[in-house]
Amino acid sequence: TIPHNVAFDVAEFFVEADKPVVIVLENPDVAPHNLVIAQPGSLTEVGMAAELLATNPNGFAMGFIPKHPKVLHATRLLQPREVDRLPITAPKAPGKYVFVCTFPGHYPVMNGIMHVVPDLSAIPSTERVKMLEDKKWTLAELSPELDKLDGGRSFARGKELFKLRTCSQCHKLADEGGNLGPDLAELP
């Protein structure tokens, strides 16, 4: 995971169909994370099932891993500075399988693709792991969008999303929320 970023450092990786592989999840972040592998095209479905666990008193005990037929494998929920190894046999059917963190609020941005291919040797070794690009926005890229900031804004909707997306578990805003992450009112 990438500290303070709600992201995996790997965006995509390739494995050979029906072969053993070990996936290592390291969590240097301050928030808990897991890694769930699911069927191709199931990101939203599995993610929404995981979001329902945020209201379940047993959500933490379940590692926020939904009991869903499209979930194939999962690590445990890693606390900060923990590591887990997930030994699996890759699916037999080639395809673009989803990997995702199902901790509440994370699935829309903390996900990637596990490409299952018939022959791994057909993929150049330099292309088998694609790291997440660290986009550094410039003021020149953002300035054309500044005039759109006033349209459709709603403090009430923002506050609702702050709680709904569980940002409030780690971050504080206007004296509400947790102390794990930075106070959002103090950010520049």
Side-chain angles (χ1 to χ4, degrees):
T1 65
I2 300 174
H4 314 292
N5 211 0
V6 189
F8 292 116
D9 62 348
V10 172
E12 301 178 44
F13 64 95
F14 288 77
V15 297
E16 189 165 331
D18 204 28
K19 297 289 183 183
V21 63
V22 176
I23 299 168
V24 179
L25 177 61
E26 297 180 27
N27 185 20
D29 195 12
V30 296
H33 297 292
N34 64 19
L35 186 140
V36 172
I37 297 174
Q39 291 286 343
S42 65
L43 175 63
T44 301
E45 192 177 341
V46 169
M48 292 304 292
E51 291 296 305
L52 292 175
L53 292 175
T55 60
N56 184 326
N58 297 320
F60 263 103
M62 297 172 66
F64 294 103
I65 299 165
K67 294 187 185 309
H68 192 282
K70 293 188 178 176
V71 170
L72 303 176
H73 305 283
T75 66
R76 61 188 171 81
L77 184 65
L78 273 68
Q79 297 304 315
R81 294 173 298 287
E82 287 189 327
V83 177
D84 197 9
R85 298 171 63 82
L86 182 62
I88 66 168
T89 298
K92 291 180 182 182
K96 294 180 179 182
Y97 290 76
V98 173
F99 67 90
V100 57
C101 176
T102 57
F103 187 78
H106 291 190
Y107 93 87
V109 292
M110 196 168 185
N111 60 72
I113 300 294
M114 178 179 79
H115 297 271
V116 176
V117 296
D119 180 10
L120 190 59
S121 66
I123 308 297
S125 60
T126 56
E127 295 179 24
R128 292 181 188 170
V129 176
K130 296 180 181 177
M131 304 305 285
L132 183 69
E133 289 186 26
D134 187 16
K135 174 68 174 155
K136 301 289 185 197
W137 294 95
T138 66
L139 189 55
E141 290 172 303
L142 296 174
S143 59
E145 304 298 318
L146 292 176
D147 61 338
K148 298 177 185 174
L149 288 179
D150 289 331
R153 290 180 13 175
S154 164
F155 179 78
R157 179 67 177 140
K159 186 174 182 179
E160 179 185 335
L161 286 171
F162 179 70
K163 291 178 181 176
L164 178 70
R165 303 307 303 155
T166 66
C167 304
S168 60
Q169 287 184 349
C170 299
H171 298 280
K172 184 172 284 199
L173 183 62
D175 295 325
E176 286 187 46
N179 290 319
L180 253 151
D183 185 330
L184 299 180
E186 295 177 6
L187 295 177

